[in-house]
Structure formats: structure tokens, C-alpha cells
């Protein structure tokens, strides 16, 4: 099934996704141990992404796998949501292992409801940075790239997780995150699915494996 309707950009109220540097969709599916795979159109797939994000009972059961987009495969669904406490440790380890196999793997969470932002950047089996705005104590690594540039522009010379929450600068940063959204970091490090251009190939729906 082709994706001639790929003008549908990937959006959701709460958007979680994994980005793997690869052009081999089948290899990524295999590495993630996904099951019950079927093809879908981009229009139906994007609608399903938002439906799954709103499903409180089955939100971690279904993911959407894109074909290659500018050298990256995206796997979308709350299953990869860093801010969800039941997922954080598992997807962090998963991303680390994927980066050892594929070279680069990244996780992102973006909320259109102002519920926070999160990202994890891993390369060669090492986590370079993890930031979860709602849980700054879980931060790992050093800010770099666009995060570092926006922090500097905001007047924050250190790490945001080290700021005193009562500090006015910390409050001002937290009010807008200095426009440093997960989509901003994704644009800088890999692919921003909310602005990704049309591609060819099949969009897949799959069941995510249980890790319990």
C-alpha cells in the first residue's frame, strides 16, 4: 500500500515517538519485536496515533511505524513516552540498545496541551542527553545543540535541572521552556514529524511487546 496521501502530518495532543537512524523499516520492526503488523494509509495512521494517545486503557499497546524519512524510521505511540513513569526506564534502556545497533536512536514527547516536553538522544550505546520537563530530577547528560543555544540565549549558563525551582529564571524558563520543545530538538537532531514532508512507502500499524 503506498502513501500518496502522506500530506497528513503526524500530530496528536500528546505525541511520543522513537527515531532510529535507518532506512530499513523491516529491520527496525524486527529489533523492536513488533507483532500483528498491517499496512495503513497515512490519513488513517495519523488518526489512530491521536486515538491511541487518548486511550487510557490500551495506550501502550499500539504503535505506528513510518517508512524512511530523510534517513530515519519513526515509531510513534505512547509506548515510547518518556514522561510516563511506567515507561521511562524501559524505553530509556531500549533506546540505548537500539543506538548500539543502529548508531543513533532518539525519543521524544511533545504536548500540544502544555503538559511538558521530553527527549532522549543516544549514540553508539551511550545516552548523551535525557530531559523530561515534568521530572527534571531524571535528567541525564549535558544540554547540547539547540537546547544549549536556547538556554544560553535565555541566560541559563548551566543545566536547567540544576536551577532552584524558586528562582525567577527557572520559573520564566518553565513557563515556555524558552521555545525549546521536543519538536525543536527533533528538528535539530533528526526528524520533526509534525513538519515532515511527503514520503513514499508503507505506514505500518503494529502491536508493541509487553515488558512486564
Amino acid at each position: 500500500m503506498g502513501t500518496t496521501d502522506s500530506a497528513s502530518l503526524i500530530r496528536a495532543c500528546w505525541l511520543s515517538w522513537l527515531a532510529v537512524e535507518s532506512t530499513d523499516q523491516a529491520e527496525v520492526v524486527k529489533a523492536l519485536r513488533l507483532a500483528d503488523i498491517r499496512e495503513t494509509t497515512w490519513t488513517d495512521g495519523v488518526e489512530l496515533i491521536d486515538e491511541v494517545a487518548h486511550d487510557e486503557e490500551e495506550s501502550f499497546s499500539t504503535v505506528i511505524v513510518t517508512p524512511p524519512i530523510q534517513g530515519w524510521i519513526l515509531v510513534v505511540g505512547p509506548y515510547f513516552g518518556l514522561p510516563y513513569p511506567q515507561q521511562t526506564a524501559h524505553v530509556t534502556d531500549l533506546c540505548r540498545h537500539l543506538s548500539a545497533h543502529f548508531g543513533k536512536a532518539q525519543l521524544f514527547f511533545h504536548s500540544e496541551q502544555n503538559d511538558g516536553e521530553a527527549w532522549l538522544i543516544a549514540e553508539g550505546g551511550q545516552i548523551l542527553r535525557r530531559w523530561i520537563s515534568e521530572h527534571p530530577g531524571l535528567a541525564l547528560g549535558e544540554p547540547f545543540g539547540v537546547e544549549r543555544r536556547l538556554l544560553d540565549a535565555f541566560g541559563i549558563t548551566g543545566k536547567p535541572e540544576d536551577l532552584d525551582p524558586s528562582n525567577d529564571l527557572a520559573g520564566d524558563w518553565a513557563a515556555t521552556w524558552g521555545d525549546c520543545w521536543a519538536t525543536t530538538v527533533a528538528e535539530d537532531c533528526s526528524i520533526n514529524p509534525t513538519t515532515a514532508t511527503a514520503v513514499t512507502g508503507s505506514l505500518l500499524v503494529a502491536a508493541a511487546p509487553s515488558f512486564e
Side-chain angles (χ1 to χ4, degrees), residues 144-151 179-181 184-186 188-189:
F144 70 95
V146 69
E147 182 189 6
R148 181 69 269 163
R149 295 193 296 272
L150 288 172
L151 284 165
D179 294 331
C180 190
W181 314 108
T184 309
V185 177
D188 191 55
C189 293

Side-chain angles (χ1 to χ4, degrees), residues 35-56:
D36 301 330
I37 299 160
R38 62 179 176 85
E39 296 183 357
T40 188
T41 66
W42 274 73
T43 299
D44 290 346
V46 170
E47 289 181 357
L48 182 58
I49 286 168
D50 202 38
E51 289 176 10
V52 171
H54 284 87
D55 188 335
E56 295 183 0

Side-chain angles (χ1 to χ4, degrees), residues 117-155:
E117 304 287 319
W119 52 86
L120 184 151
I121 310 298
E123 293 187 14
Q126 301 294 320
I127 294 174
L128 303 183
R129 177 63 169 162
R130 182 175 72 182
W131 168 251
I132 305 172
S133 64
E134 300 304 289
H135 305 285
L138 296 179
L140 298 171
E142 298 286 336
F144 70 95
V146 69
E147 182 189 6
R148 181 69 269 163
R149 295 193 296 272
L150 288 172
L151 284 165
D152 289 343
F154 212 80

Side-chain angles (χ1 to χ4, degrees), residues 58-133:
E58 299 292 338
S59 60
F60 303 126
S61 63
T62 303
V63 297
I64 307 296
V65 187
T66 73
I69 306 175
Q70 300 175 36
W72 294 81
I73 302 288
L74 305 184
V75 192
V76 187
Y79 184 88
F80 296 105
L82 279 166
Y84 303 119
Q86 62 269 58
Q87 301 297 103
T88 306
H90 169 66
V91 295
T92 293
D93 288 341
L94 178 61
C95 197
R96 181 190 294 112
H97 291 311
L98 289 170
S99 75
H101 180 74
F102 291 98
K104 295 182 180 180
Q106 305 168 2
L107 294 166
F108 299 95
F109 170 84
H110 171 64
S111 171
E112 293 189 348
Q113 308 301 313
N114 198 31
D115 292 327
E117 304 287 319
W119 52 86
L120 184 151
I121 310 298
E123 293 187 14
Q126 301 294 320
I127 294 174
L128 303 183
R129 177 63 169 162
R130 182 175 72 182
W131 168 251
I132 305 172
S133 64

Side-chain angles (χ1 to χ4, degrees), residues 130-204:
R130 182 175 72 182
W131 168 251
I132 305 172
S133 64
E134 300 304 289
H135 305 285
L138 296 179
L140 298 171
E142 298 286 336
F144 70 95
V146 69
E147 182 189 6
R148 181 69 269 163
R149 295 193 296 272
L150 288 172
L151 284 165
D152 289 343
F154 212 80
I156 299 174
T157 57
K159 297 187 287 187
E161 58 266 33
D162 292 338
L163 292 175
D164 183 338
S166 64
N167 182 284
D168 287 343
L169 188 60
D172 291 343
W173 174 259
T176 64
W177 303 119
D179 294 331
C180 190
W181 314 108
T183 48
T184 309
V185 177
E187 193 90 46
D188 191 55
C189 293
S190 54
I191 293 293
N192 176 1
T194 69
T195 59
T197 56
V199 296
T200 58
S202 296
L203 196 69
L204 305 178

